[in-house]
Amino acid sequence: MAAGRPFPPRLLLPLLVLAAGAGPGPGSGPFHVHGYFPEERWNPESGLRPPRVTIAVVARNAAHALPAALGALERLRHPKERTALWVAVDHSVDNTTAVLREWLGGVRGLYHRVEWRPMEEPRWYPDEEGPKHWSPSRYEHVMKLRQAALESARANWADYLLFLDADNVLINPDTLGLLMAENKTVVAPMLDSRAAYSNFWCGMTAQGYYRRTPAYLPIRKRERRGCFAVPMVHSTFLVDLRKEASRALAFYPPHPDYTWAFDDIIVFAFSCRQAEVQMFVCNREVYGFLPVPLRSHSTLRDEAESFLHVQLEIMVKHPPAEPSPHVWVPPKVPDKMGFDEVFMINLQRRVDRRERMLRTLYEQEIACKLVEAVDGKAMNSSEVEALGIRMLPGYKDPYHGRPLTKGELGCFLSHYRVWQEIVARGLEKSVVFEDDLRFEIFFKRRLMNLMHDLEAAGLTWDLIYIGRKRMQVERPEKSVPRVRNLVEADYSYWTLGYVLSLRGARKLLAAEPLGKMLPVDEFLPVMFDKHPLADYTKHFAKRDLVAFSAEPLLVFPTHYTGEEGYVSDTETSVVWDDEATLTDWDRAKSQKMKEQQELRREAQNSDVLQSPLDSAARDEL
């Protein structure tokens, strides 16, 4: 264009637009133009700050549970500067107050606000029969404490209030965010336990008491997943204080129309009903664990061991619930429970199992000797021949019709070496554990009590199963007079846990099983003459092993055949003398799995003398 010639009017506006879009700063560029002047350009707004949350903890005689429960609370991912703590102690005879005081001293600067209500005296209620008894005065005091927490959260403009029982362990750090996303006025994360018990009800009677319904177990087992309307949640639940209807919720005093039982959770459920607030429980995720309530006559020792079992159950499928670093945890003092040795068999390549088992034994204060298992999969045919191993003539797996696998070979040799060590060291009584088991509640005390009763009765024994799969279910097994929780063992599978005497080990070795090998859990029933197949028993002339079993059992597998996470190092293998023949059978359709499912509870040994520990814990409520 010639110098001095003016711009055509039709080009002036586009040029101005381009010039405005070329400048620096937010909104620059031809596609982010929102105005000619900088002040007119749009800048994006920041996001909302996280909601304010108050977490309320009421603790009574909870010193044993607080380190783990508080550690889990600290790991919740909600920002601590947006979280307030409301903590109260209720009539405790243990050092609950000291533990909480120590913890709050360590975390006070991390959280937005802390309200602390200690109680040194009194240590018990005048109308209670024991520390586990819920008396009327205890119910009333707990209602007042929970109401105080509710009012404190409202007064401090909290958006949410999380009630958290002092022995509930939230292993999912996203629990708060997940519950908030449900957008419910009152919502609970479904907590797992060792039994059917959880922190919700699916049914309630006209008087406000618990009622069993068909809807409960499918939710509890997560056969149905979601967020479900229920008449009751308790122990751990979230209240959305932003909701208008939440203003009418109360723990104390009870609603003027209230005529149900004087119980804090029932009073609150009634308050929700009157305010037309529906309670919900969510089971979409695994959020945490809680102990099964104990009977009112139970002791604080029972309660501590019950919570210990919660920690063990967590470790079956999840990392350990590590304690808070802000509280002192008494060191463990492991022992051998009165046995000469405690063996734990583990494959070197199974690091996860080894770490879990060593941790669970340590938590129970059980000292063990780690035995490196023979890895049958790593053995070649020449090694097998060098050991003089020959399979029992005609042996076939009774379910799959296949010969022995290398995994089963390794399993047998692992136990065989333990028996050799027992004899070499002259160990009078030993415990043998495999690494894929879980412990029953009160395990250590139950096993020690069983051995005490057995010895007091002067009973002769060689082998005692503490974990097995009972294969003969047509008739009850014979109970042992004067010895609680003991039966004469019939045909059984599994060697995940047993007690073996020196005499018993000598008998097993004297049978020379390596030259006529079959799986170890088939060999043992042969030796106490309870195996149903004469084709197997005829190869062992002396079958005089004296075998018993704990009843109820004290250990169980971590996983059953066909369950998610099930892995077998014995059955998933290759045939012992043919490395080309795999044995990774389809367990989802296998006859063995079907029989395992059918054999769970058919034959109960109901006439067995029971220990008081058998009835210490309730199964569901």
Side-chain angles (χ1 to χ4, degrees):
M1 186 175 292
R5 190 174 175 182
F7 276 105
R10 66 181 182 274
L11 296 179
L12 183 60
L13 182 60
L15 288 172
L16 288 173
V17 170
L18 288 172
S28 298
F31 301 106
H32 297 87
V33 176
H34 297 280
Y36 178 74
F37 297 104
E39 293 80 2
E40 295 176 317
R41 295 175 192 158
W42 173 80
N43 288 309
E45 292 289 337
S46 64
L48 295 175
R49 300 184 69 188
R52 298 177 293 262
V53 177
T54 293
I55 301 177
V57 178
V58 177
R60 185 186 192 209
N61 296 319
H64 59 277
L66 284 171
L70 296 175
L73 187 158
E74 291 175 44
R75 289 187 288 273
L76 292 176
R77 290 203 173 102
H78 197 75
K80 291 179 172 55
E81 68 273 13
R82 302 288 288 175
T83 305
L85 301 175
W86 190 98
V87 183
V89 178
D90 169 27
H91 297 74
S92 291
V93 298
D94 68 358
N95 62 336
T96 292
T97 300
V99 173
L100 285 171
R101 183 178 286 116
E102 178 188 17
W103 180 69
L104 291 172
V107 304
R108 185 182 297 272
L110 304 176
Y111 289 89
H112 171 68
R113 181 175 175 274
V114 172
E115 185 170 340
W116 169 226
R117 296 195 174 198
M119 173 182 279
E120 302 287 355
E121 297 289 343
R123 292 175 174 265
W124 52 80
Y125 292 94
D127 57 344
E128 73 177 6
E129 299 172 4
K132 295 302 299 174
H133 177 227
W134 279 88
S135 64
S137 61
R138 181 181 178 187
Y139 276 123
E140 182 173 11
H141 186 67
V142 169
M143 288 181 210
K144 290 179 178 178
L145 287 176
R146 295 193 186 279
Q147 182 65 27
L150 182 58
E151 292 174 359
S152 174
R154 287 169 173 160
N156 288 282
W157 301 104
D159 297 309
Y160 293 92
L161 172 59
L162 177 72
F163 284 102
L164 176 66
D165 274 8
D167 58 0
N168 291 187
V169 183
L170 296 178
I171 66 170
N172 190 331
D174 296 317
T175 296
L176 271 173
L178 292 169
L179 293 181
M180 291 175 188
E182 296 293 345
N183 194 27
K184 309 295 185 186
T185 307
V186 177
V187 60
M190 190 190 80
L191 301 181
D192 290 276
S193 76
R194 64 178 179 82
Y197 179 77
S198 188
N199 60 322
F200 71 99
W201 299 358
C202 275
M204 184 182 284
T205 69
Q207 295 75 37
Y209 290 106
Y210 174 77
R211 180 171 62 86
R212 288 179 181 267
T213 71
Y216 182 84
L217 284 179
I219 295 174
R220 172 64 185 85
K221 294 179 178 180
R222 291 188 175 86
E223 294 169 357
R224 297 179 61 206
R225 286 180 181 257
C227 200
F228 302 96
V230 293
M232 165 71 75
V233 295
H234 58 84
S235 300
T236 293
F237 56 93
L238 187 72
V239 181
D240 188 345
L241 299 177
R242 305 170 308 166
K243 303 279 189 180
E244 184 66 27
S246 72
R247 298 173 61 187
L249 302 182
F251 285 93
Y252 192 87
H255 191 278
D257 297 333
Y258 187 78
T259 59
W260 292 354
F262 200 60
D263 181 313
D264 61 307
I265 65 172
I266 301 178
V267 166
F268 188 70
F270 186 87
S271 175
C272 288
R273 178 178 294 192
Q274 294 301 108
E276 298 184 344
V277 170
Q278 177 64 60
M279 290 179 157
F280 289 85
V281 65
C282 291
N283 69 351
R284 302 185 202 275
E285 310 275 347
V286 175
Y287 302 98
F289 288 74
L290 81 171
V292 176
L294 302 182
R295 303 288 183 180
S296 60
H297 63 262
S298 300
T299 65
L300 292 184
R301 179 188 178 189
D302 296 336
E303 189 169 23
E305 292 182 16
S306 174
F307 184 77
L308 169 63
H309 190 259
V310 172
Q311 295 175 284
L312 303 184
E313 285 294 285
I314 290 172
M315 285 188 277
V316 171
K317 298 181 180 179
H318 308 279
E322 299 293 353
S324 166
H326 300 286
V327 296
W328 178 77
V329 179
K332 302 286 185 178
V333 184
D335 59 55
K336 296 180 181 179
M337 305 181 288
F339 293 95
D340 297 306
E341 192 59 270
V342 178
F343 296 96
M344 197 274 281
I345 301 173
N346 166 257
L347 278 170
Q348 187 178 30
R349 57 185 165 85
R350 289 291 186 190
V351 179
D352 55 337
R353 291 184 179 183
R354 178 166 63 253
E355 291 179 349
R356 186 192 70 83
M357 273 296 292
L358 290 176
R359 180 67 179 268
T360 57
L361 290 169
Y362 173 78
E363 293 295 339
Q364 296 176 90
E365 299 188 276
I366 299 173
C368 77
K369 178 179 180 181
L370 183 62
V371 176
E372 185 176 332
V374 176
D375 194 341
K377 293 181 180 180
M379 296 181 70
N380 56 43
S381 299
S382 60
E383 289 177 296
V384 173
E385 291 177 7
L387 290 171
I389 295 173
R390 298 290 183 272
M391 190 168 67
L392 185 77
Y395 172 76
K396 288 185 179 180
D397 180 274
Y399 294 99
H400 299 304
R402 55 155 173 79
L404 198 74
T405 70
K406 281 197 170 184
E408 289 168 331
L409 171 64
C411 180
F412 194 110
L413 290 176
S414 302
H415 285 272
Y416 187 84
R417 289 182 179 179
V418 170
W419 306 339
Q420 286 179 315
E421 181 171 342
I422 289 173
V423 171
R425 293 171 57 189
L427 305 176
E428 291 294 335
K429 56 179 180 179
S430 304
V431 184
V432 183
F433 292 127
E434 293 181 345
D435 64 359
D436 54 349
L437 59 83
R438 66 204 301 171
F439 295 91
E440 182 57 286
I441 188 172
F442 307 128
F443 167 78
K444 184 175 182 179
R445 196 167 13 145
R446 278 177 152 173
L447 180 56
M448 294 178 71
N449 288 347
L450 173 60
M451 297 307 297
H452 176 271
D453 290 352
L454 183 148
E455 291 168 5
L459 188 67
T460 299
W461 62 276
D462 294 325
L463 172 78
I464 302 171
Y465 287 103
I466 57 176
R468 61 171 177 155
K469 177 170 185 51
R470 186 175 167 201
M471 301 303 290
Q472 186 286 115
V473 295
E474 311 254 333
R475 57 191 179 277
E477 293 169 313
K478 185 179 179 182
S479 62
V480 178
R482 303 185 307 281
V483 180
R484 294 176 298 185
N485 306 118
L486 194 68
V487 295
E488 295 180 9
D490 211 315
Y491 182 37
S492 303
Y493 266 8
W494 299 345
T495 50
L496 66 166
Y498 58 90
V499 180
L500 188 63
S501 70
L502 176 59
R503 190 182 73 159
R506 285 174 174 157
K507 289 181 179 180
L508 295 175
L509 295 178
E512 300 181 346
L514 298 190
K516 41 196 170 182
M517 182 170 291
L518 68 169
V520 65
D521 58 353
E522 298 271 18
F523 172 63
L524 293 180
V526 167
M527 291 302 294
F528 58 82
D529 206 24
K530 292 293 185 179
H531 200 288
L533 298 181
D535 287 344
Y536 298 169
T537 60
K538 69 182 181 181
H539 295 278
F540 299 88
K542 202 167 186 180
R543 303 186 298 274
D544 59 348
L545 196 73
V546 182
F548 298 94
S549 175
E551 176 69 27
L553 295 170
L554 302 181
V555 297
F556 295 88
T558 54
H559 300 84
Y560 288 91
T561 306
E563 287 185 344
E564 182 180 355
Y566 172 80
V567 176
S568 172
D569 288 310
T570 55
E571 296 175 3
T572 307
S573 182
V574 296
V575 174
W576 76 287
D577 60 352
D578 182 359
E579 297 181 14
T581 304
L582 298 175
T583 61
D584 188 7
W585 314 108
D586 181 5
R587 276 166 191 76
K589 301 176 182 177
S590 74
Q591 181 65 21
K592 185 169 186 178
M593 191 197 80
K594 293 178 182 177
E595 299 232 4
Q596 284 181 348
Q597 291 172 338
E598 292 167 0
L599 293 176
R600 291 196 183 216
R601 303 193 63 84
E602 284 85 342
Q604 296 295 311
N605 296 311
S606 57
D607 59 341
V608 181
L609 290 174
Q610 297 294 304
S611 161
L613 291 176
D614 296 332
S615 59
R618 293 176 284 178
D619 181 42
E620 185 174 339
L621 290 169

